[in-house]
Amino acid sequence: MALRFKNLDGSGPHPMSTVFQWAVADKVAGRRRKSAATCAMRRVEPDLAVLAVPPAPGEGARLTWLGHASWLVQLEGVSLLIDPVLRDSIPGFIRRNVPPGVATGQLPPIQATLVSHNHYDHLDLPTVRQVGAPVIGGLGLTRYFQRTGLSVTELDWWGSTRVGAVTVHFVPAQHWSRRGLADVNETLWGGFVVEGAHTRVYHSGDTAYFEGFREIGRRFPGLDAALLPIGAYDPEWFMEKQHMNPEQAVQAYEDLGARRFLAMHWGTFKLTDEPLDEPPQRLDAEWKRRALPVEPLHVLAVGESLTVPPDAPRQG
């Protein structure tokens, strides 16, 4: 089958025979690790009055983790949502382990919703419809919003668009796309660099470790924060083509040359075999093994915000 989109290295998703081995054969044979579907998670009640007012131009960025890969990113007087999945469950009867950091009805006015790709744990149509903001995503994404009345801006890798005083860049990721039975890789996946006059924030979307991190760092030097996935990696023989483990996420952070590491994509939905609370433990161990300074590492509670101070104005 010809694929419309492929990764930078030319790869696509696993063939169905490999998917069957992971999903059925290994499970029946007892070769997959078993772990609980829930774990205790830190969650804080955000100050909604504070979130209602995004940082003004020149005041830096406020990053609020809503759980999984969902973020409220606010800068330059603009509020953006990235991959908002804020309902109690995702299709496949996978329930949330922890409530979202902010309920959909409590969000501030949103100027745009950024969607990294079409998998159900990153594109939740009911959430996006309820938010009601224009959508920005990869090529082919418009098809999912034709009946919603929402405007959609499609971007190729390295493409850009403006939202007020903010520039949104769509950048490569090592992943794949599928939402139905016959649409494998018909829409483009990726990550985002959200750029203001004084602040650059990178959200990787869903991704395996790949050489593209170095190129993203080269094109966007001085990233103030990298929002990187650390979960959904076990069994690694199957998941490593699409997700990073915590050790690979640290390497990605170093490849990017980012100033801060913010962990995501863990603890919210039980998608793979590792215990839900294992990823931050491995992340901490790898951080210490590399003797990295502790200040740049942030494993936020769900609902917690981090304010990134502004740097000097960007030159180009």
Side-chain angles (χ1 to χ4, degrees), residues 17-34:
S17 58
T18 305
V19 175
F20 179 84
Q21 179 183 342
W22 164 70
V24 179
D26 283 3
K27 192 169 186 178
V28 170
R31 289 190 288 264
R32 288 175 54 177
R33 184 158 55 140
K34 294 181 173 62

Side-chain angles (χ1 to χ4, degrees), residues 107-141:
L107 289 167
I110 301 298
Q111 280 67 61
T113 296
L114 282 52
V115 177
S116 67
H117 66 298
N118 69 358
H119 287 162
Y120 285 94
D121 60 319
H122 293 255
L123 169 54
D124 183 61
L125 283 171
T127 298
V128 176
R129 281 197 298 263
Q130 188 175 350
V131 171
V135 175
I136 300 170
L139 298 177
L141 206 70

Side-chain angles (χ1 to χ4, degrees), residues 240-261:
E240 66 182 357
K241 288 187 64 174
Q242 52 206 329
H243 294 148
M244 291 191 289
N245 62 34
E247 296 79 11
Q248 291 169 325
V250 177
Q251 185 60 56
Y253 159 76
E254 296 206 308
D255 291 352
L256 290 161
R259 295 190 173 99
R260 297 166 185 83
F261 181 122

Side-chain angles (χ1 to χ4, degrees), residues 8-9 172-174 202 207-214 216 244 255:
L8 289 176
D9 64 1
Q174 182 87 4
Y202 167 65
T207 185
Y209 177 78
F210 73 131
E211 293 297 319
F213 291 121
R214 292 189 180 90
I216 294 167
M244 291 191 289
D255 291 352

Side-chain angles (χ1 to χ4, degrees), residues 106-187:
Q106 295 179 315
L107 289 167
I110 301 298
Q111 280 67 61
T113 296
L114 282 52
V115 177
S116 67
H117 66 298
N118 69 358
H119 287 162
Y120 285 94
D121 60 319
H122 293 255
L123 169 54
D124 183 61
L125 283 171
T127 298
V128 176
R129 281 197 298 263
Q130 188 175 350
V131 171
V135 175
I136 300 170
L139 298 177
L141 206 70
T142 300
R143 70 178 68 186
Y144 304 113
F145 300 96
Q146 290 176 340
R147 298 181 181 179
T148 66
L150 300 177
S151 67
V152 181
T153 299
E154 294 186 358
L155 298 174
D156 200 350
W157 285 337
W158 310 119
S160 304
T161 190
R162 296 280 289 182
V163 182
V166 174
T167 303
V168 175
H169 308 272
F170 195 56
V171 298
Q174 182 87 4
H175 201 59
W176 58 291
S177 67
R178 181 175 188 168
R179 199 162 174 93
L181 295 176
D183 63 348
V184 177
N185 283 20
E186 290 188 0
T187 63

